[in-house]
Amino acid sequence: GGEVVQAINRLDRRVYAIKKILLEPEVDEDDGDGDNQRRNKGARIQNEKLRREVTTISMMSHKNIVRYYQAWVEQPGSNQGEESTSNGDGQGMDENE
């Protein structure tokens, strides 16, 4: 899943493809009926699959596979709007749709 967007790095001015994936909340709040615990377990499993995808892609090196550069996690509302994505190290990416 996820959405792939084209972005221009503000530092090197190169064009990159960024795959945006929403992680499921993994909070352990329980309302007494057990539904939240089941939902949280499912969220943890889904998020672990996504983390494994990042790890696997980071190890790949093949002429027919898009090169992996890095991954980062952002908290909801942490980026500066839909046109900008922070990669966690002060460098920014401007989306180019």
Side-chain angles (χ1 to χ4, degrees), residues 44-90:
R44 284 190 292 273
I45 291 169
Q46 180 63 29
N47 291 346
E48 181 57 35
K49 286 180 182 180
L50 293 171
R51 289 182 188 101
R52 277 196 314 264
E53 177 184 345
V54 169
T55 302
T56 301
I57 291 172
S58 71
M59 294 184 285
M60 293 179 166
S61 178
H62 189 277
K63 66 179 182 175
N64 294 329
I65 297 176
V66 174
R67 183 173 164 201
Y68 165 88
Y69 286 92
Q70 75 180 62
W72 65 93
V73 175
E74 295 179 346
Q75 298 301 319
S78 66
N79 56 345
Q80 304 155 0
E82 287 299 311
E83 298 81 33
S84 178
T85 302
S86 168
N87 64 9
D89 65 0

Side-chain angles (χ1 to χ4, degrees), residues 1 3 10 16 18 26-29 31 42 46 50 53-55 57 60 75 85 96:
E3 171 190 12
R10 292 184 198 146
Y16 294 88
I18 297 177
E26 295 182 21
V27 293
D28 285 297
E29 297 175 13
D31 61 5
Q46 180 63 29
L50 293 171
E53 177 184 345
V54 169
T55 302
I57 291 172
M60 293 179 166
Q75 298 301 319
T85 302
N96 186 16

